[in-house]
Amino acid sequence: MTPRFDYHPPDFTAPPLSGAPDARFEPAPAPGVLPDGFFSTTNLPTYVKVQGVWRRPRFPRMDCVIVQDASGALAVTEPRKVAAGGLVALGASEDGSGGIYVHVEGFLGGSRSANEFRFMQAEVSRERPVDYTLLAELLGEEKRRGGKIVWVVGPALVHARARQDMMWFIRNGYVGALLGGNAVAVHDLEAAIFGTTLGMSSSGEGVAGGHALHMRAINAIRRAGSVAAAVRSGLVTEGIMHALVTHDVPFVLAGSIRDDGPLPDVVTDSQAAQDAMRAHTTQATFAVFVATALHAIAVGNMLPAFVDPADGADLRPLTTICVDQTEFVVTKLRDRGTHQAYGVVTNAQDFMHVLRFYVERWEQARTPASVGH
Amino acid sequence: MTPRFDYHPPDFTAPPLSGAPDARFEPAPAPGVLPDGFFSTTNLPTYVKVQGVWRRPRFPRMDCVIVQDASGALAVTEPRKVAAGGLVALGASEDGSGGIYVHVEGFLGGSRSANEFRFMQAEVSRERPVDYTLLAELLGEEKRRGGKIVWVVGPALVHARARQDMMWFIRNGYVGALLGGNAVAVHDLEAAIFGTTLGMSSSGEGVAGGHALHMRAINAIRRAGSVAAAVRSGLVTEGIMHALVTHDVPFVLAGSIRDDGPLPDVVTDSQAAQDAMRAHTTQATFAVFVATALHAIAVGNMLPAFVDPADGADLRPLTTICVDQTEFVVTKLRDRGTHQAYGVVTNAQDFMHVLRFYVERWEQARTPASVGH
Amino acid sequence: MTPRFDYHPPDFTAPPLSGAPDARFEPAPAPGVLPDGFFSTTNLPTYVKVQGVWRRPRFPRMDCVIVQDASGALAVTEPRKVAAGGLVALGASEDGSGGIYVHVEGFLGGSRSANEFRFMQAEVSRERPVDYTLLAELLGEEKRRGGKIVWVVGPALVHARARQDMMWFIRNGYVGALLGGNAVAVHDLEAAIFGTTLGMSSSGEGVAGGHALHMRAINAIRRAGSVAAAVRSGLVTEGIMHALVTHDVPFVLAGSIRDDGPLPDVVTDSQAAQDAMRAHTTQATFAVFVATALHAIAVGNMLPAFVDPADGADLRPLTTICVDQTEFVVTKLRDRGTHQAYGVVTNAQDFMHVLRFYVERWEQARTPASVGH
Amino acid sequence: MTPRFDYHPPDFTAPPLSGAPDARFEPAPAPGVLPDGFFSTTNLPTYVKVQGVWRRPRFPRMDCVIVQDASGALAVTEPRKVAAGGLVALGASEDGSGGIYVHVEGFLGGSRSANEFRFMQAEVSRERPVDYTLLAELLGEEKRRGGKIVWVVGPALVHARARQDMMWFIRNGYVGALLGGNAVAVHDLEAAIFGTTLGMSSSGEGVAGGHALHMRAINAIRRAGSVAAAVRSGLVTEGIMHALVTHDVPFVLAGSIRDDGPLPDVVTDSQAAQDAMRAHTTQATFAVFVATALHAIAVGNMLPAFVDPADGADLRPLTTICVDQTEFVVTKLRDRGTHQAYGVVTNAQDFMHVLRFYVERWEQARTPASVGH
């Protein structure tokens, strides 16, 4: 975007444009109804060859058709305004081979080719379908090959009652390490001890005295000495932290400026916490980030874009799934260099629920039918 | 918020504060470990009765405890900084009955009561758990009582491949009318005819010539004359619009300034479209808005907050579920007067998937086991 | 929201409703044109007194009028559909005193009063006007009274070229302490040394080798030993950090898991960083949070809701301004107990620019014209 | 993203890599301090030539350095962990010419070149600086050359008290046509007649009976017959609509399903409204979209990407500025083909204020000093 712009029309005297045929036209079968194979316009400079001459139709815009009137003039026209019998240009190709040329390079830069105009180029959007079947397959195959799947999770995962699903993934071998902060563990432990998170019941209602319950949970764990000790003593009998301890899955809780407590397990020095996390990221073969901007960017910075298999096999991309409520975190992650991040723009609770459903289905499909006896 | 603020301390000479006991203190059992029943602070003016005198501790902040030092002075202290044996104030009540009084009215206005400090007051938030069990029960019961469930849907519902779930709800009697715009129908019909939406395959990949496919779908329907005619002729054999036609569920497609085409069924005059929609909203007993700001606000404006049962039963609220990717639309709906809207902040695709799952489960739970014969 | 709802109609036999007059009606002067003083409907249960009888009109919805037809029936009607001469109910009061009663309590809970239906109740919204005149006055008066204004800032403030404005506030005595993280200082120092932030020029273009420039800036400061040493040595000659050092404004940079470097000034232990920040928050009399979720929540947790003046004057609220691009951070801050936060939903760069403009204007208005002698 | 990935290492036997020199190393001058000119890593596969052999260092990640230990092994290391005297690889080039090669094509696809790793690639982000100086220059030059600047505005522009700024642009010749809906005009007229918008005063307070004021404003205009008639009759004496009428600037108000009223000027048929808008877009040479998703997409669809000057001058891009509170609308606009949109992610009120400030400054700079004699 600059006040100076130097437009060079295409060279119609050189191949392939010099050899292009005239564009074809066909009459509309009824008012506002187009002939099959109509050419659908873009908003870019467009040239149509008529009787050997390349012409630019008037009134360009996208999602219209090109109509030739009795005088031979060409106009970009809304389909609903085409009269019965109106001559409508035909074609699906934008490279001139059918007599119509869309001049993409002139406006979108030299790296684009013809037939470039398209919708939905942004790679991260709430409007893109999420291919849960593929995500489940990738996750399932990574588990089968014995990879190390690192999860990086924020407290919204616990708020949102996706705890059961996270526990399921831990118990079923899909979690090689869990990286997070004080808050995710505190909320999980408050839920384990008091049945609430930040004083809210699982159906979202506030409870009396609720605002202090996370402080009481922290105090109970501090008294026990550690999360593992609280599990061993029977204080904590379920939940994400309980599942990690009982399944020997390592976790790192990095301290932050906003921590209450913190829990005894928190690594309060940020450099020590980075070292503890990197001990896992150097081994990681797959990463899942759920609902955490701070830790997603932090771990994203630590992760290579690829896996270098120990067995000498070829490099492969290190699949990184990043789930957040808005496009912003995923885009930021890519902006900071984690180009391989596969963004899922949704609510953490729903993501966990649907992903587990698809992984369970993938597992069932892989299970050989029990042989009939 | 104003530069003038007139603070009136509580009247400690009048009941009930005049009769309050001294606050109780107990020593910390270990460094950074609190006695059970510690009082957890808020950020509001707080008074503690010690030896008959109400005092305000120094350094107020939330999520801390009140410690009395050797000189008798009170300080708000982070739990991790409490020494072993440090005297920590006890109590869960904030109304003075335990010797500690949090002065809420002074800062939050006269309408609040004691024990008011709490988290998560906002009623719409991505961090609130969604009670799908309750939503499914409400929807299921509405169907059983023969209510008219009006769905208002935006095109993201189709982009996001929740088509199958929407079709399930239509086929199973959960849809009394569908209100939307040209785009939701166009995307559904493009998917039915070409297998794409806006030129993207169901796994999110672009296809060649994809940008024109919605225009080709529109043209095909215009040629057929109407959506119903396209279903009858066999041009459209599946999808949301197909399900509506084959299950005799009425729909209204309101025109808008951004429509391509539009489809022959679109009511292009906005006043006529309002009338067509209101013919349904006056009969509505339940409403679900998914991924549409424009139509959600429009239909929200038309809906009463209550149902007036034809059988003379009592009025009841007209349950209105509003699903959107951000808090903004739901908050806006409430700001414009639809106070009863129950907000779900998530991705349309995931919402539909999870809701259907819970509704299916609710139905199964209602089905009497078939008796064995 | 629950399947059971117990509606109690108002008691029309008791005062004040028992003494209410009949509602008044007046004919519409032209088709679709209402008489002055028409009653505008809400979506709540509404009763109209006609010939001594309270009746509920059919087809309730908001933003309509109540029309009585020839048979005496009442219907809620869109204004555009009122015929010339149609009898339209009049009144602005919703408490029955004019013969029309809107039953608010029945639906919105007992704490609401009549005349309660209104728009724009949400206290934080991009659609609310920001009263910069008031913000400037509050900030200006706080400076005049010698208060301690604590700023908590995120790196977007530097990205967005609001550096010049932040420097202006520092130089002019509006900053008592600056609290932030490694990133805000790194971006500022990269700008001071290389003229870029994250490798982007001030007009938003990438520069060659830009991705490493923040690492080179960090290395230069590490070599110098501290930010202050880098200022003294002449390495850093302008910017936010430069202004802080040269104006003796204290700052705290708290470490986090995502830090590069970090700078030598960063307090890497999160507990030590909390202590360093709280040394400032206990003295704070005003707070401004700009573009930082992590630090805003952290410092919000540390701040009291009120100022306790050292001179024994009355308590007053501790004004807290929270600026963010979305409603989410501000709402979250309130959800966590910082009820006094005044939310401004906008871009950090624009906020700084406009706020400075208004503060400059406020200062000019306070300056007495120099008298000519 | 697919389970199959075929990695081909670079061909080190062919030029230019075959002729690359060994990488250079230099000792760190102090612990955690790097030599000048250190090579800063990316997360992509990276090869370093040592003694004639290309090797991949262990533990790849971004924002680190490559250190050779006593045994000759290479490891990617955080700068803070480099010992004094540690041998650190040097270089800024990633194409192998300095003995270090970052294999971009292997992971980011064939269209990328070396030295490709960079931050902030997303073209629309709240974190990108907005170059208001450039926007003001573009707008100013367009006015000087007599272009037609089309504004497309949403109601948030009026809510947010940017009315005065919009009026300034109209009065000073920066508005060739204004396209919008019923709401933006209704809010402006409510403000003109009652001093409120949606019942809120300009400082954001609700007023008694406020929820009906927009209905009363609509009724007053309907009684007058049109906006222009209301201006002529003295009913409307200021505001955006007043400025349009008194400066003979054409406007189009397109009807929508959510309109109250509507105003008599609204084109309620969406096809007629499209035609009315396109009559302006075919003449447009510049476009500004403020705070309107619906109309921005609609008009974006109608606009060509370029201007075809009537005087036969070369084509030039049709500058399109799109202002919204979130990245979503701008990204969506581009996703639908308006690639030339320049996105500004901010609050409408602040945008208008700052843009006007810069345009005023641009105008002053163009004004020749009045010659004093």
Side-chain angles (χ1 to χ4, degrees), chain B residues 81-152:
Chain B
K81 304 187 83 168
V82 175
L87 289 176
V88 178
L90 303 182
S93 171
E94 300 175 349
D95 61 1
S97 61
I100 304 181
Y101 181 71
V102 179
H103 197 195
V104 175
E105 298 81 14
F107 280 82
L108 302 184
S111 65
R112 312 296 184 89
S113 58
N115 279 334
E116 264 288 348
F117 185 85
R118 69 174 71 138
F119 292 125
M120 290 291 174
Q121 302 257 18
E123 293 176 50
V124 180
S125 167
R126 64 194 72 172
E127 294 193 347
R128 281 183 90 80
V130 177
D131 194 339
Y132 279 106
T133 304
L134 176 59
L135 295 184
E137 181 187 346
L138 288 167
L139 198 62
E141 293 199 346
E142 194 66 33
K143 173 186 164 185
R144 287 170 62 90
R145 73 157 72 94
K148 175 164 183 142
I149 303 170
V150 172
W151 291 67
V152 185

Side-chain angles (χ1 to χ4, degrees), chain A residues 1-5 7 43-45 56 59-62 76 78 80-81 107-108 117-122 126-127 134-135 137-138 141 271 274-275 278 282 300-306 308 314-317 319 327-328 331-332 335-340 342, chain D residues 1-5 7 43-45 56 59-62 76 78 80-81 107-108 117-122 126-127 134-135 137-138 141 271 274-275 278 282 300-306 308 314-317 319 327-328 331-332 335-340 342:
Chain A
M1 178 178 175
T2 150
R4 308 288 163 258
F5 185 83
Y7 180 73
N43 57 3
L44 299 172
R56 264 199 297 104
F59 311 137
R61 59 158 290 183
M62 70 174 82
V76 176
E78 284 87 348
R80 63 181 161 85
K81 303 185 83 169
F107 280 83
L108 302 183
F117 185 86
R118 67 175 75 140
F119 293 126
M120 289 290 175
Q121 301 259 19
R126 64 193 70 172
E127 294 193 347
L134 176 59
L135 295 183
E137 179 188 346
L138 288 167
E141 292 198 347
Q271 301 189 18
Q274 285 182 343
D275 292 348
R278 197 165 176 225
T282 55
N301 282 359
M302 293 180 195
L303 277 179
F306 57 97
D308 187 3
D314 280 347
L315 302 191
R316 64 174 194 272
T319 303
E327 288 84 357
F328 182 63
T331 302
K332 189 163 180 168
D335 271 359
R336 277 167 179 60
T338 307
H339 301 291
Q340 82 275 19
Y342 184 93
Chain D
M1 180 177 176
T2 152
R4 308 286 165 258
F5 184 84
Y7 179 73
N43 57 4
L44 300 170
R56 261 201 300 106
F59 311 138
R61 60 159 288 185
M62 71 174 83
V76 176
E78 283 88 349
R80 63 183 164 82
K81 304 187 85 168
F107 280 83
L108 301 183
F117 185 85
R118 67 174 74 139
F119 292 127
M120 289 291 174
Q121 302 257 21
R126 63 193 73 172
E127 294 192 348
L134 176 59
L135 295 183
E137 181 188 346
L138 288 167
E141 292 198 347
Q271 300 189 18
Q274 286 181 342
D275 292 348
R278 196 168 176 223
T282 54
N301 282 1
M302 292 180 196
L303 277 179
F306 58 97
D308 187 2
D314 278 349
L315 301 193
R316 63 174 195 271
T319 303
E327 287 83 358
F328 182 63
T331 302
K332 188 163 183 168
D335 271 359
R336 276 167 180 63
T338 307
H339 301 292
Q340 82 274 20
Y342 183 93

Side-chain angles (χ1 to χ4, degrees), chain A residues 96-108:
Chain A
S97 61
I100 303 181
Y101 182 69
V102 179
H103 197 197
V104 176
E105 299 78 16
F107 280 83
L108 302 183

Side-chain angles (χ1 to χ4, degrees), chain D residues 14 62-63 83 89 94 96-97 139 146 179 199 207 250 274 330 332 337 360:
Chain D
M62 71 174 83
D63 288 339
E94 301 174 351
S97 62
L139 198 61
L179 312 182
V207 304
Q274 286 181 342
V330 188
K332 188 163 183 168
E360 286 183 314

Side-chain angles (χ1 to χ4, degrees), chain B residues 186-367:
Chain B
V186 167
H187 294 335
D188 176 67
L189 293 164
E190 180 189 337
I193 299 173
F194 297 110
T196 56
T197 49
L198 278 182
M200 248 187 339
S201 76
S202 62
S203 60
E205 301 298 305
V207 305
H211 75 81
L213 290 180
H214 70 295
M215 298 305 298
R216 299 192 195 287
I218 291 168
N219 193 50
I221 305 297
R222 288 176 72 96
R223 176 173 292 185
S226 71
V227 171
V231 169
R232 284 194 303 265
S233 76
L235 173 66
V236 171
T237 59
E238 59 88 45
I240 294 172
M241 299 310 296
H242 177 269
L244 293 171
V245 169
T246 54
H247 288 76
D248 286 322
V249 175
F251 60 89
V252 177
L253 305 179
S256 94
I257 188 71
R258 68 180 261 201
D259 292 346
D260 289 314
L263 293 171
D265 304 75
V266 166
V267 183
T268 61
D269 182 79
S270 54
Q271 300 189 19
Q274 286 182 341
D275 292 348
M277 286 195 172
R278 197 167 175 222
H280 294 289
T281 61
T282 55
Q283 307 302 320
T285 62
F286 200 102
V288 187
F289 301 165
V290 185
T292 167
L294 175 67
H295 289 90
I297 304 292
V299 176
N301 283 1
M302 292 179 195
L303 277 178
F306 57 97
V307 176
D308 187 3
D311 60 4
D314 280 346
L315 301 193
R316 64 175 195 272
L318 196 162
T319 303
T320 304
I321 300 172
C322 180
V323 184
D324 203 83
Q325 187 71 36
T326 67
E327 288 84 357
F328 182 63
V329 170
V330 189
T331 302
K332 188 163 180 168
L333 194 63
R334 288 164 171 268
D335 271 0
R336 276 167 178 62
T338 306
H339 301 293
Q340 82 274 18
Y342 183 92
V344 179
V345 180
T346 191
N347 180 293
Q349 171 185 26
D350 292 336
F351 171 79
M352 294 298 287
H353 190 90
V354 180
L355 181 65
R356 171 183 165 180
F357 177 86
Y358 276 83
V359 171
E360 287 182 313
R361 204 156 70 174
W362 181 85
E363 286 192 347
Q364 285 157 6
R366 304 282 305 196
T367 308

Side-chain angles (χ1 to χ4, degrees), chain D residues 62-336:
Chain D
M62 71 174 83
D63 288 339
C64 282
V65 291
I66 299 168
V67 174
Q68 184 172 31
D69 70 15
S71 73
L74 302 175
V76 176
T77 306
E78 283 88 349
R80 63 183 164 82
K81 304 187 85 168
V82 175
L87 287 177
V88 178
L90 303 183
S93 172
E94 301 174 351
D95 61 1
S97 62
I100 304 180
Y101 182 71
V102 179
H103 198 195
V104 176
E105 298 78 17
F107 280 83
L108 301 183
S111 65
R112 311 296 183 92
S113 58
N115 280 330
E116 263 287 345
F117 185 85
R118 67 174 74 139
F119 292 127
M120 289 291 174
Q121 302 257 21
E123 294 178 48
V124 180
S125 166
R126 63 193 73 172
E127 294 192 348
R128 279 182 92 79
V130 178
D131 193 337
Y132 279 106
T133 303
L134 176 59
L135 295 183
E137 181 188 346
L138 288 167
L139 198 61
E141 292 198 347
E142 194 66 32
K143 173 185 163 187
R144 286 173 61 91
R145 74 158 69 96
K148 176 163 182 146
I149 304 170
V150 172
W151 292 67
V152 185
V153 298
L157 186 133
V158 184
H159 280 208
R161 283 198 310 176
R163 280 176 92 224
Q164 299 302 324
D165 297 310
M166 189 72 228
M167 286 155 64
W168 183 90
F169 283 112
I170 295 169
R171 288 193 197 114
N172 286 275
Y174 289 97
V175 182
L178 185 138
L179 312 182
N182 185 61
V184 66
V186 167
H187 294 336
D188 175 68
L189 294 164
E190 180 189 337
I193 299 174
F194 297 111
T196 57
T197 48
L198 278 182
M200 243 186 344
S201 76
S202 61
S203 59
E205 300 297 305
V207 304
H211 76 79
L213 291 180
H214 70 295
M215 299 304 297
R216 298 193 194 286
I218 291 168
N219 192 52
I221 305 297
R222 287 176 72 94
R223 176 172 293 186
S226 72
V227 171
V231 169
R232 282 194 302 267
S233 76
L235 173 65
V236 171
T237 59
E238 59 88 44
I240 294 170
M241 300 309 295
H242 176 269
L244 292 172
V245 169
T246 55
H247 289 76
D248 286 321
V249 175
F251 60 89
V252 177
L253 305 178
S256 95
I257 188 71
R258 68 182 264 202
D259 293 344
D260 291 314
L263 294 170
D265 304 75
V266 166
V267 183
T268 61
D269 183 79
S270 54
Q271 300 189 18
Q274 286 181 342
D275 292 348
M277 286 196 172
R278 196 168 176 223
H280 293 290
T281 61
T282 54
Q283 307 303 319
T285 61
F286 199 102
V288 187
F289 301 167
V290 185
T292 168
L294 175 66
H295 289 89
I297 305 294
V299 176
N301 282 1
M302 292 180 196
L303 277 179
F306 58 97
V307 176
D308 187 2
D311 60 5
D314 278 349
L315 301 193
R316 63 174 195 271
L318 197 162
T319 303
T320 304
I321 301 171
C322 180
V323 184
D324 204 83
Q325 188 71 37
T326 67
E327 287 83 358
F328 182 63
V329 170
V330 188
T331 302
K332 188 163 183 168
L333 194 63
R334 290 165 170 269
D335 271 359
R336 276 167 180 63

